[in-house]
């Protein structure tokens, strides 16, 4: 949460920073700010609201020319979203300014101590305390600013990615990280720092991912990285493979719609080079060295949050069906504090689009400390989770900018499906002929997603009928139960309509009391093992005059005769249905949110990567 950008070089810093902040706005949009050094000194400009509010504010500030600057877009943790709590934060002397992404857990103790020694605070933030704590060490130890940063990092508890500017060194940026991401773009005599690579990609494809407990000092055109123990490191320069188009809207009104429509391609990209159905081959490179452990695991534990947790639930069905290994799916936030029973015989899969989710990272560290093998399924290359796990497979969905996760979900399920098929085949719980048949079917999924997307206009029309509903129920069974949860999450997070997902059979244990003519119920009733049972549940809702929107298999006539609206998805293997049945639910939530005037890509109170617990 929160996005940070910084630049030092020969170009004008402000336009680079503003553009970068817009790219990072998905990480938080409560306020935005920049600090620049020019003839007038080190000046901070900040404003509550989006980056566009900051731009308006900057219009009244005269010519702002600077070749060094830092910028921040905030998701509020300590202190309400307002101008004062916005970053950057000055030191007391106003000689330094700092941007911070993360949370300082012991800020209260530090603040009390600083206050007792005469410091005053303008904001309610932990970040201002952090800045003034560094300033205090600098003053008391009579040391350089970078040494003060290093000493301070030994004392602060929590997570941070920080960048600091110093009026006395107008060609220098000092940065550090622990727990929050920081990428350094290396240009020709210029450097770009950011929370992810999207603000950097149009200037350079050479990047360094700063590691936890590392401090980077960029001074006079050269970069030095050392640990907080003062040991110099030799950074590895990665080549970014991201294309600029991947982070632009490409003619779509919203990123979310673009990302929904990208799914035929993102699923195909995820399978490319891994699945070769014609030759009966499926290889996930990341699993190769760990296949033995995976195959012989006593148990698979899946840990994740939000949509990624829903993908984990789908995987529970997949692994148990194909590989016959017991699976537990855990909310990372619960798992990390529950003192769970974990051993070296457990294979833990951590799923995360951003690769930065704080709870998932903490769950990984806990499972690691108990000796389990940890496998990551991440989308963002080089992210913290990708680097904290023993091995992993990237989802290759490309950048997902909309806060509501769509293409990442189907790419996660694609990777997990391939893992389950490989595992079942290796363990002999899947016969060769069934395996080959499933590989062939899996290869048809991108085309079937493409066909499913053609329902868009139809779903838009249905959305208009239900846009004012106050509640929604989503019901499904088996593989479609996690899809029901995901459909409900998509609707509530972007349209602010209250929605619940349930296993369809649970309806009669409580939620049925809610059904009346005002209640839209979305059934996922594709032709599978529980189809007949779901049809009975549809009857029960109909008898109580609920409005029925049903996702069915193409050609279904039974549900068509009962439902108010049907949305058809192509027939496929039962295990692959979530890859298709979730698509109409994504589209439904998108249109309803747009019709309600909601900010689809940046829903209120949310951020794309949740780096606080
Ligand atoms: O980046 P992650 O996959 O770890 O994020 C997990 C959740 O925060 C995320 O899926 C969230 O629930 C999305 N807003 C759902 O659309």
């Amino acid at each position: 949460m929160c996005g940070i950008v910084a630049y030092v070089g020969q170009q004008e810093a402000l336009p680079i920073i503003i553009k970068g902040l817009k790219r990072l706005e998905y990480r938080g949009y409560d306020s935005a700010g920049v600090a620049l050094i020019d003839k007038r000194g080190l000046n901070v400009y900040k404003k509550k609201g989006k980056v566009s509010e900051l731009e308006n504010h900057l219009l009244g500030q005269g010519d702002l020319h600077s070749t060094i600057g830092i910028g921040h877009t905030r998701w509020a943790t300590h202190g309400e979203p307002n101008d004062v709590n916005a970053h950057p934060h000055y030191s007391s002397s106003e000689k330094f300014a700092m941007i911070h992404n993360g949370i300082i857990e012991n800020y209260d103790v530090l603040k009390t101590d600083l206050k007792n020694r005469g410091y005053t605070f303008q904001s309610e933030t932990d970040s201002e305390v952090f800045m003034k704590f560094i300033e205090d060490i600098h003053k008391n130890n009579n040391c350089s600013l970078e040494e003060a940063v290093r000493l301070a990092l030994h004392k602060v508890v929590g997570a941070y990615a920080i960048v600091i500017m110093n009026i006395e060194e107008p060609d220098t940026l000092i940065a550090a990280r622990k727990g929050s991401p920081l990428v350094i773009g290396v240009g020709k005599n210029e450097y770009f720092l950011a929370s992810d690579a999207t603000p950097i990609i149009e200037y350079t494809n050479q990047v360094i991912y700063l590691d936890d407990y590392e401090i980077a000092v960029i001074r006079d055109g050269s970069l030095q990285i050392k640990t907080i123990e003062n040991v110099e490191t030799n950074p590895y320069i990665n080549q970014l493979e991201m294309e600029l188009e991947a982070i632009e809207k490409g003619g779509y009104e919203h990123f979310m719609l673009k990302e929904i429509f990208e799914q035929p391609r993102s699923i195909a990209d995820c399978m490319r080079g891994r699945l070769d159905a014609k030759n009966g081959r499926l290889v996930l490179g990341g699993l190769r060295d760990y296949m033995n452990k995976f195959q012989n695991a006593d148990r698979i534990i899946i840990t994740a949050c939000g949509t990624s947790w829903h993908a984990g639930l789908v995987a529970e069905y997949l692994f148990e069906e194909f590989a016959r290994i017991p699976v537990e799916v855990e909310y990372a936030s619960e798992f990390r504090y529950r003192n769970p029973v974990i051993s070296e015989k457990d294979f833990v899969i951590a799923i995360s689009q951003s690769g930065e989710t704080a709870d998932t990272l903490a769950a990984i560290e806990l499972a690691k400390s108990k000796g389990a093998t940890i496998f990551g399924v991440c989308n963002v290359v080089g992210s913290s989770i990708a680097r904290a796990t023993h091995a992993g497979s990237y989802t290759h969905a490309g950048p997902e900018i909309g806060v509501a996760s769509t293409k990442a979900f189907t790419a996660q399920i694609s990777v997990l499906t391939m893992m389950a098929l490989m595992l079942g085949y290796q363990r002999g719980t899947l016969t060769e002929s069934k395996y080959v048949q499933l590989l062939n079917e899996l290869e048809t999924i991108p085309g079937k997603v493409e066909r499913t997307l053609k329902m868009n206009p139809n779903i838009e029309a249905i959305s208009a009928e239900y846009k004012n509903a106050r509640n929604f129920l989503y019901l499904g069974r088996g593989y479609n139960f996690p899809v029901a949860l995901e459909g409900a999450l998509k609707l509530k997070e972007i349209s602010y309509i209250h929605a619940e997902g349930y296993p369809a059979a649970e309806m009669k244990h409580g939620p049925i009391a809610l059904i009346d003519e005002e209640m839209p119920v979305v059934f996922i009733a594709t032709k599978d093992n529980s189809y007949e049972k779901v049809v009975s549940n549809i009857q029960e809702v109909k008898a109580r005059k609920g409005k029925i929107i049903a996702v069915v298999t193409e050609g279904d006539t039974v549900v068509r005769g009962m439902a108010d609206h049907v949305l058809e998805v192509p027939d496929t293997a039962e295990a692959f249905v979530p890859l298709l049945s979730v698509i109409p639910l994504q589209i439904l939530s998108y249109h309803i949110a747009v019709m309600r005037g909601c900010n689809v890509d940046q829903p209120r109170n949310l951020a794309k990567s949740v780096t606080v617990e």
Side-chain angles (χ1 to χ4, degrees), residues 17 33-46 58 61 64-71 87-99 131 135 145 163-174:
I17 291 169
V34 294
L36 302 166
I37 297 178
D38 61 17
K39 294 190 294 277
R40 295 176 282 185
L42 194 173
N43 290 301
V44 168
Y45 310 89
K46 50 192 194 176
L58 289 169
Q61 307 296 326
L64 298 173
H65 296 294
S66 175
T67 54
I68 185 167
I70 57 180
H87 296 219
H89 289 287
Y90 275 126
S91 60
S92 299
S93 63
E94 301 198 351
K95 282 185 180 169
F96 315 136
M98 182 172 98
I99 45 175
M131 173 75 268
E135 176 182 35
L145 182 60
V163 187
I164 308 184
M165 290 197 323
N166 176 0
I167 182 68
E168 281 166 6
E169 289 194 279
D171 60 350
T172 301
L173 289 175
I174 300 172

Side-chain angles (χ1 to χ4, degrees), residues 277-540:
K278 203 159 74 212
N279 294 303
R281 261 208 313 268
L282 179 58
V283 182
L284 283 170
L287 254 188
R288 209 177 280 129
D289 292 345
Y290 286 85
M291 202 58 199
N292 213 15
K293 284 223 157 174
F294 197 22
Q295 246 175 275
N296 295 306
D298 280 350
R299 189 169 58 147
I300 296 170
I301 299 173
I302 299 178
T303 187
C305 303
T307 288
S308 299
W309 183 78
H310 296 156
L313 286 181
V314 174
E316 178 176 21
Y317 289 83
L318 289 164
F319 286 123
E320 292 197 343
E321 176 178 350
F322 295 140
R324 309 300 301 144
I325 297 184
V327 180
E328 281 171 27
V329 187
E330 303 269 3
Y331 281 117
S333 52
E334 290 296 314
F335 183 73
R336 61 182 288 196
Y337 287 118
R338 212 191 53 222
N339 192 12
V341 179
I342 315 165
S343 81
E344 312 82 67
K345 293 280 284 171
D346 290 325
F347 193 88
V348 175
I349 302 174
I351 309 171
S352 175
Q353 186 288 127
S354 61
E356 301 295 345
T357 302
D359 283 322
T360 310
L361 258 171
I364 290 170
E365 295 307 335
L366 174 70
K368 240 192 198 171
S369 70
K370 310 256 181 196
T373 302
I374 326 286
F375 191 86
V377 176
C378 295
N379 192 36
V380 177
V381 176
S383 56
S384 302
I385 293 178
R387 288 177 317 139
T389 44
H390 293 111
S393 287
Y394 283 117
T395 50
H396 296 309
E400 190 180 68
I401 313 281
V403 164
S405 189
T406 53
K407 65 175 179 172
F409 178 67
T410 48
Q412 288 165 344
I413 295 179
S414 303
V415 168
L416 294 160
T417 303
M418 290 188 280
M419 287 174 72
L421 291 173
M422 266 177 86
L423 188 63
Y425 183 58
Q426 296 290 333
R427 280 171 56 86
T429 45
L430 251 185
T431 63
E432 168 107 32
S433 62
K434 181 75 183 162
Y435 178 66
V436 172
Q437 184 198 329
L438 286 167
L439 295 192
N440 279 292
E441 181 55 28
L442 192 56
E443 219 168 52
T444 69
I445 292 294
K448 289 183 176 175
V449 172
E450 187 91 61
R451 250 161 67 198
T452 307
L453 289 168
K454 299 228 156 65
M455 278 188 295
N456 181 34
N458 185 11
I459 302 175
E460 190 172 358
I462 295 171
S463 306
E465 248 180 79
Y466 295 97
K467 67 175 197 297
N468 295 322
R470 306 203 34 208
N471 298 287
F472 262 76
L473 261 186
Y474 285 74
L475 302 174
R477 291 183 83 142
Y479 281 99
N480 281 324
F481 159 52
V483 175
L485 295 181
E486 176 59 9
L489 174 61
K490 281 301 79 97
L491 187 72
K492 68 184 133 193
E493 72 178 324
I494 59 167
S495 73
Y496 320 137
I497 295 176
H498 172 247
E500 296 288 345
Y502 271 96
E506 276 295 301
M507 181 181 67
K508 55 187 166 299
H509 298 286
I512 197 163
L514 297 168
I515 311 266
D516 61 15
E517 58 282 355
E518 302 281 300
M519 174 66 96
V521 184
V522 178
F523 275 98
I524 307 118
T526 50
K527 285 267 169 61
D528 55 31
N529 276 333
S530 42
Y531 174 73
E532 307 295 341
K533 309 268 183 218
V534 177
V535 169
S536 303
N537 299 140
I538 294 177
Q539 299 275 26
E540 288 155 13

Side-chain angles (χ1 to χ4, degrees), residues 12-45:
E12 286 287 351
L14 186 59
I16 295 173
I17 291 169
I18 293 291
K19 202 179 213 182
L21 288 179
K22 287 186 175 165
R23 297 236 165 101
L24 292 179
E25 224 172 14
Y26 72 88
R27 301 177 66 89
Y29 26 85
D30 287 333
S31 62
V34 294
L36 302 166
I37 297 178
D38 61 17
K39 294 190 294 277
R40 295 176 282 185
L42 194 173
N43 290 301
V44 168
Y45 310 89

